[in-house]
Amino acid sequence: MRNWTPEERGRILAATIATAGTIFARDNIALIALWGISLLVLWGQGEIRTATRFFYRIWLPMACGLAIVWGLIVKGSPEAETMRGIRPGLEYAALIAFRIAALASVFQAALLSLRGFQRVRFWSRLGLPPSAVAGIVSIFDLWPDFVRRVDQVVAARCARGLMTDRRLVTRLRQIPFAFRTLFLSSLDASMERAVRWQGERLPERLVAVASTSCASSGSLRGSFVWLALALGWVVFAFRHEWILNQ
Amino acid sequence: MITVAPSPDVSSLVDLFEGRLGTPVFLQGGNFSGRSEAMRRLAQIAADRNELAIVIPPELHPAFSGITATVSEELDLHLGTRTESCPFWRTAEEWGMLTIGGHHPLTLSGGQQAMLGIVCKLALRPRFFGLDGALEQLDPANFRRVIEALTSENLLDEGSVALIAHNSAWPRTQVPIQTLSTDGLTSSDTASKPPELNEAAFSPEMTTATVLDFQDASFRYPGTPLVFSNLTLRLYSGRIYRLAGANGAGKSTFAKLLCGVLRLTSGSLSVNGQPFDTYRRPGTLAQLHFQNPDTQLFGISVAEEIETLPPVRRDSALEFAGLLPFREKHPFDLPFVLRKRLALSLTLHGTTPWLIFDEPTVGLDQAGQKIVCQALIKLKQAGYGILMISHNPSLDDLLSPEILEFLTPPKQ
């Protein structure tokens, strides 16, 4: 798939076009189409399992929540006060849910699919200074770090006899301890890391190593394909919406 | 032995920094004798001169960049492009770092983390390199490798100085080590010296006898080869066992299985003849003291940590650890030694019939180590089963434990 991987600028431009289109699109069919295209790209990148996990662990519960709030409780969208009822509420919930699904999959395909030094190279090729690149890459590492630290807190509480079974309610009771530890350790670690990095000139090393250790991270052909997909979808989305409005 | 004069001024440390003592230098002294302070001062002198100073502390994780997902990336970041002639890459290969390249640095064993951190930081060519208790989790073979590396001109530039603070007995190496005593050093460390560990405060209650039987037990982490297989083993309470073996052999993994953090892949464990699933009932058969106290403390004050113990044990736990003046302090505001004492005391006052101590003496000076050993002997006499993981040779003399050797080599 490497030949179809876009260059850094093609990747960011296509993602920006798709994101902007998603924000303005008000048609569920168009949003589902973008979601589908992104899933195909993710499948090509070998990232479909992550997308699936996101779908059933985060998107599905969130979509159900939105349907309950806007469809059954509020009964309508906030923008159309004259059209009240379960159906307009559900339509509004669907619009928000599909918009989030499309945005998340675009974001995953464009940015989260990059790994390790590829990610460093991506941001440095966009012209950002090494310290900014290091900061951005650190942000992307927050979630895996968060998961690791939560596991650590749960393991420690098991080992100390403070979590003596694994029932759901027992696990939920560990959340405050995990969050408190995460908050403190994250703050502490990030301050310590910033000082150390500066002294050891790690941001400069990071950018230098990424530029030499990664093979070319994309092709012009890939960039054109992504741009064509993004522009094609925008045209489709607004044309479809225009037809619906006629 | 070269002794630092009492109340040394910065110039005496500059002498050391100029490399007049050669390298490496072993800093000798007890807890709060000023060893860490000496390292901080030297690091500051280096920083003032715009030279690189690196200190690896006993908790090890500050040695990592925190930005890489694998050992390979961490090596790439610090060592640069891999070439045959690069001495750091050769060292990394000799130290077995390339065979664990796919692992996350923070999932390695304590000893492996120390080795990775050392080779990475040496590659940055520091003018001053401090190892403040960072070698205490190394097995003897790895310890020798590090000491030899610190005398290699290929790895440490001429004029650079490596300073080592080490509490365990010094393993035999071929390399002559110069010793610098910090006795008499006046520093902020000595000025704020806390109470000592108080062995008299510790008197455990008797517990019931238990026999553990592992039958054909095997374990693997998901997607990796077996850490150990077909283990059949009987352990009796009222005894002290020491798990021995190379760094990464699976000793800590075994400890986590026993206290229910992990679950056996196959085989079974029975307690007094009855099947027992530690994973479903974690922390009820055995409690574990982790190598790094930071991973097991999560209270906002020492008092809150102590309150996790039964009420009758709380005062004893505080007094034993010498932490009475620090009741209201946040654990992370305390120095490493006090965090270690707190974590140790919590496990020593645990309520389960088996207690496991992973590197219990890291960071503790010789006097502290003896007190911890006396506490372990009291637990043994009270009928507790003790499992200990340690590379500290002094503990064998003090405790005469039964040795369980983990021969399994590190798995990839």
Side-chain angles (χ1 to χ4, degrees), chain B residues 315-332:
Chain B
D315 291 344
S316 160
L318 262 182
E319 279 180 46
F320 172 80
L323 291 173
L324 275 170
F326 306 104
R327 274 188 81 97
E328 304 309 321
K329 283 258 186 191
H330 193 288
F332 286 179

mmCIF file of all heavy atoms in Angstrom, chain B residues 315-332:
data_model
loop_
_atom_site.group_PDB
_atom_site.id
_atom_site.type_symbol
_atom_site.label_atom_id
_atom_site.label_comp_id
_atom_site.label_asym_id
_atom_site.label_seq_id
_atom_site.Cartn_x
_atom_site.Cartn_y
_atom_site.Cartn_z
ATOM 1 N N ASP B 315 -0.755 2.326 63.470
ATOM 2 C CA ASP B 315 0.304 3.020 64.221
ATOM 3 C C ASP B 315 1.634 2.308 64.044
ATOM 4 O O ASP B 315 2.675 2.939 63.839
ATOM 5 C CB ASP B 315 -0.063 3.085 65.711
ATOM 6 C CG ASP B 315 -1.233 4.023 65.951
ATOM 7 O OD1 ASP B 315 -1.522 4.829 65.030
ATOM 8 O OD2 ASP B 315 -1.867 3.942 67.017
ATOM 9 N N SER B 316 1.579 0.978 64.105
ATOM 10 C CA SER B 316 2.797 0.187 63.958
ATOM 11 C C SER B 316 3.434 0.442 62.583
ATOM 12 O O SER B 316 4.650 0.588 62.472
ATOM 13 C CB SER B 316 2.449 -1.287 64.128
ATOM 14 O OG SER B 316 3.437 -2.096 63.566
ATOM 15 N N ALA B 317 2.574 0.513 61.539
ATOM 16 C CA ALA B 317 3.094 0.711 60.180
ATOM 17 C C ALA B 317 3.806 2.053 60.052
ATOM 18 O O ALA B 317 4.868 2.153 59.437
ATOM 19 C CB ALA B 317 1.946 0.614 59.178
ATOM 20 N N LEU B 318 3.217 3.100 60.651
ATOM 21 C CA LEU B 318 3.835 4.434 60.588
ATOM 22 C C LEU B 318 5.141 4.473 61.372
ATOM 23 O O LEU B 318 6.147 5.009 60.908
ATOM 24 C CB LEU B 318 2.876 5.471 61.179
ATOM 25 C CG LEU B 318 2.024 6.279 60.220
ATOM 26 C CD1 LEU B 318 1.199 7.281 60.992
ATOM 27 C CD2 LEU B 318 2.860 7.004 59.183
ATOM 28 N N GLU B 319 5.098 3.892 62.576
ATOM 29 C CA GLU B 319 6.290 3.921 63.435
ATOM 30 C C GLU B 319 7.416 3.100 62.822
ATOM 31 O O GLU B 319 8.574 3.515 62.833
ATOM 32 C CB GLU B 319 5.950 3.373 64.828
ATOM 33 C CG GLU B 319 5.283 4.394 65.720
ATOM 34 C CD GLU B 319 4.962 3.810 67.088
ATOM 35 O OE1 GLU B 319 5.841 3.141 67.659
ATOM 36 O OE2 GLU B 319 3.825 4.003 67.549
ATOM 37 N N PHE B 320 7.076 1.933 62.310
ATOM 38 C CA PHE B 320 8.111 1.082 61.714
ATOM 39 C C PHE B 320 8.826 1.835 60.586
ATOM 40 O O PHE B 320 10.058 1.813 60.495
ATOM 41 C CB PHE B 320 7.494 -0.206 61.167
ATOM 42 C CG PHE B 320 8.463 -1.036 60.376
ATOM 43 C CD1 PHE B 320 9.386 -1.843 61.025
ATOM 44 C CD2 PHE B 320 8.490 -0.975 58.991
ATOM 45 C CE1 PHE B 320 10.322 -2.580 60.300
ATOM 46 C CE2 PHE B 320 9.413 -1.699 58.261
ATOM 47 C CZ PHE B 320 10.328 -2.511 58.915
ATOM 48 N N ALA B 321 8.053 2.513 59.744
ATOM 49 C CA ALA B 321 8.643 3.188 58.582
ATOM 50 C C ALA B 321 9.344 4.493 58.958
ATOM 51 O O ALA B 321 10.004 5.099 58.115
ATOM 52 C CB ALA B 321 7.553 3.458 57.547
ATOM 53 N N GLY B 322 9.213 4.932 60.203
ATOM 54 C CA GLY B 322 9.823 6.200 60.609
ATOM 55 C C GLY B 322 9.156 7.378 59.922
ATOM 56 O O GLY B 322 9.802 8.369 59.576
ATOM 57 N N LEU B 323 7.843 7.268 59.709
ATOM 58 C CA LEU B 323 7.142 8.295 58.939
ATOM 59 C C LEU B 323 6.174 9.130 59.782
ATOM 60 O O LEU B 323 5.364 9.873 59.218
ATOM 61 C CB LEU B 323 6.378 7.634 57.778
ATOM 62 C CG LEU B 323 7.265 7.055 56.672
ATOM 63 C CD1 LEU B 323 6.430 6.272 55.675
ATOM 64 C CD2 LEU B 323 8.014 8.175 55.951
ATOM 65 N N LEU B 324 6.268 9.009 61.091
ATOM 66 C CA LEU B 324 5.342 9.782 61.935
ATOM 67 C C LEU B 324 5.376 11.282 61.632
ATOM 68 O O LEU B 324 4.321 11.923 61.562
ATOM 69 C CB LEU B 324 5.643 9.525 63.409
ATOM 70 C CG LEU B 324 4.982 8.280 64.008
ATOM 71 C CD1 LEU B 324 5.532 7.989 65.397
ATOM 72 C CD2 LEU B 324 3.469 8.429 64.062
ATOM 73 N N PRO B 325 6.562 11.887 61.392
ATOM 74 C CA PRO B 325 6.563 13.336 61.118
ATOM 75 C C PRO B 325 5.986 13.686 59.741
ATOM 76 O O PRO B 325 5.819 14.856 59.430
ATOM 77 C CB PRO B 325 8.059 13.712 61.166
ATOM 78 C CG PRO B 325 8.772 12.533 61.717
ATOM 79 C CD PRO B 325 7.918 11.348 61.461
ATOM 80 N N PHE B 326 5.734 12.660 58.929
ATOM 81 C CA PHE B 326 5.330 12.940 57.540
ATOM 82 C C PHE B 326 3.893 12.499 57.263
ATOM 83 O O PHE B 326 3.509 12.332 56.107
ATOM 84 C CB PHE B 326 6.284 12.229 56.574
ATOM 85 C CG PHE B 326 7.723 12.545 56.809
ATOM 86 C CD1 PHE B 326 8.556 11.634 57.438
ATOM 87 C CD2 PHE B 326 8.250 13.766 56.427
ATOM 88 C CE1 PHE B 326 9.881 11.924 57.676
ATOM 89 C CE2 PHE B 326 9.584 14.072 56.658
ATOM 90 C CZ PHE B 326 10.401 13.151 57.289
ATOM 91 N N ARG B 327 3.107 12.311 58.313
ATOM 92 C CA ARG B 327 1.721 11.822 58.183
ATOM 93 C C ARG B 327 0.920 12.546 57.104
ATOM 94 O O ARG B 327 0.224 11.936 56.315
ATOM 95 C CB ARG B 327 0.972 12.024 59.505
ATOM 96 C CG ARG B 327 1.110 10.951 60.519
ATOM 97 C CD ARG B 327 0.143 11.225 61.658
ATOM 98 N NE ARG B 327 -1.187 10.775 61.312
ATOM 99 C CZ ARG B 327 -1.681 9.597 61.683
ATOM 100 N NH1 ARG B 327 -0.957 8.791 62.417
ATOM 101 N NH2 ARG B 327 -2.882 9.224 61.330
ATOM 102 N N GLU B 328 1.027 13.876 57.120
ATOM 103 C CA GLU B 328 0.172 14.665 56.231
ATOM 104 C C GLU B 328 0.821 14.955 54.880
ATOM 105 O O GLU B 328 0.235 15.616 54.037
ATOM 106 C CB GLU B 328 -0.209 15.997 56.910
ATOM 107 C CG GLU B 328 -0.891 15.829 58.268
ATOM 108 C CD GLU B 328 -2.070 14.844 58.236
ATOM 109 O OE1 GLU B 328 -2.823 14.845 57.237
ATOM 110 O OE2 GLU B 328 -2.217 14.059 59.196
ATOM 111 N N LYS B 329 2.029 14.492 54.686
ATOM 112 C CA LYS B 329 2.732 14.756 53.424
ATOM 113 C C LYS B 329 2.182 13.891 52.296
ATOM 114 O O LYS B 329 1.744 12.751 52.525
ATOM 115 C CB LYS B 329 4.218 14.427 53.584
ATOM 116 C CG LYS B 329 5.006 15.481 54.332
ATOM 117 C CD LYS B 329 5.766 16.307 53.339
ATOM 118 C CE LYS B 329 6.688 17.295 54.029
ATOM 119 N NZ LYS B 329 7.225 18.249 53.082
ATOM 120 N N HIS B 330 2.224 14.412 51.078
ATOM 121 C CA HIS B 330 1.899 13.580 49.925
ATOM 122 C C HIS B 330 3.068 12.621 49.693
ATOM 123 O O HIS B 330 4.229 13.051 49.736
ATOM 124 C CB HIS B 330 1.693 14.456 48.691
ATOM 125 C CG HIS B 330 1.048 13.704 47.568
ATOM 126 N ND1 HIS B 330 1.714 12.735 46.847
ATOM 127 C CD2 HIS B 330 -0.208 13.757 47.066
ATOM 128 C CE1 HIS B 330 0.897 12.223 45.953
ATOM 129 N NE2 HIS B 330 -0.276 12.818 46.056
ATOM 130 N N PRO B 331 2.783 11.338 49.466
ATOM 131 C CA PRO B 331 3.901 10.394 49.285
ATOM 132 C C PRO B 331 4.902 10.838 48.221
ATOM 133 O O PRO B 331 6.104 10.646 48.371
ATOM 134 C CB PRO B 331 3.201 9.089 48.882
ATOM 135 C CG PRO B 331 1.854 9.186 49.488
ATOM 136 C CD PRO B 331 1.481 10.645 49.447
ATOM 137 N N PHE B 332 4.402 11.444 47.127
ATOM 138 C CA PHE B 332 5.318 11.823 46.048
ATOM 139 C C PHE B 332 6.160 13.054 46.400
ATOM 140 O O PHE B 332 7.065 13.405 45.650
ATOM 141 C CB PHE B 332 4.558 12.057 44.735
ATOM 142 C CG PHE B 332 4.087 10.772 44.090
ATOM 143 C CD1 PHE B 332 3.371 10.796 42.908
ATOM 144 C CD2 PHE B 332 4.363 9.544 44.667
ATOM 145 C CE1 PHE B 332 2.932 9.602 42.315
ATOM 146 C CE2 PHE B 332 3.929 8.357 44.101
ATOM 147 C CZ PHE B 332 3.213 8.383 42.918
#
